[in-house]
Amino acid sequence: MKELTLETRRLRLLPFIPEDTERFQLLNNDAFIRKFLWDDEKIDAITADEIMEQNLRYFEEDQFGLWEIKLSSNDETIGYAGLWHFFDGPQPQLIYALLEPHTHKGLATEAGRAIIAYAFETLGYNYLVAATDEPNIASQRVAMRLGMSFVSRRLENGRPTLFYQIDKTGKP
């Protein structure tokens, strides 16, 4: 899956593989990341393994999934970004998560731009959606910096969730 590696000015995005299960679990059990992505619940090794197995299937069958975000300067893993199916949508949605020390530096936006470009240029998508918990203001700001616009608010799993969208022309 080396051909699916994405690079930006400061980042390398590498597809997670099943051997990355432990690192994926550690990232998601970080208090900052799990607060919104996992409703503040820790994930167990079985869940992490299932996600990594599904991730492999997504990459093999559909050429998308979750990419590990590494700093180009030192190869440090700082989070992940990608495309994943949520809420029974017709296509996967944009997802991004960074460890707190790496927030407020434009890195989530940089990773998100790489994923959006990949979705439009390689996968041929005409639009892309991102959802965020209503209290997650930082994630909403990233979506807006990516050129996404607010399209709806719904209750998902009993929680208010905001949906943002961008189309292939870069317009909401």
Side-chain angles (χ1 to χ4, degrees), residues 1 14-18 20 24 49-61 64-68 81 83-84:
M1 286 194 289
L14 303 123
F16 274 116
I17 57 175
D20 298 327
F24 182 76
D49 187 56
E50 289 171 350
I51 292 169
M52 288 295 94
E53 290 296 329
Q54 178 61 55
N55 197 56
L56 181 62
R57 283 190 299 277
Y58 279 154
F59 273 115
E60 288 176 344
E61 297 169 12
F64 71 78
L66 301 176
W67 282 263
E68 179 178 12
L83 301 168
W84 200 261

Side-chain angles (χ1 to χ4, degrees), residues 18-118:
E19 292 80 9
D20 298 327
T21 297
E22 186 177 336
R23 188 165 47 256
F24 182 76
Q25 182 185 6
L26 288 171
L27 281 169
N28 283 286
N29 285 337
D30 174 81
F32 185 76
I33 289 178
R34 77 171 187 254
K35 180 178 180 180
F36 294 113
L37 286 182
W38 295 98
D39 299 328
D40 212 19
E41 298 290 326
K42 288 190 173 190
I43 67 167
D44 58 28
I46 293 169
T47 300
D49 187 56
E50 289 171 350
I51 292 169
M52 288 295 94
E53 290 296 329
Q54 178 61 55
N55 197 56
L56 181 62
R57 283 190 299 277
Y58 279 154
F59 273 115
E60 288 176 344
E61 297 169 12
D62 303 310
Q63 303 300 298
F64 71 78
L66 301 176
W67 282 263
E68 179 178 12
I69 302 172
K70 291 180 170 273
L71 292 174
S72 296
S73 61
N74 63 10
D75 214 34
E76 176 186 0
T77 297
I78 63 167
Y80 63 92
L83 301 168
W84 200 261
H85 284 285
F86 297 100
F87 314 122
D88 299 321
Q91 70 182 30
Q93 295 179 14
L94 176 66
I95 182 174
Y96 40 85
L98 288 182
L99 295 168
E100 189 171 20
H102 301 284
T103 60
H104 307 293
K105 299 175 183 176
L107 297 170
T109 303
E110 192 170 323
R113 282 189 181 124
I115 300 296
I116 290 170
Y118 178 81

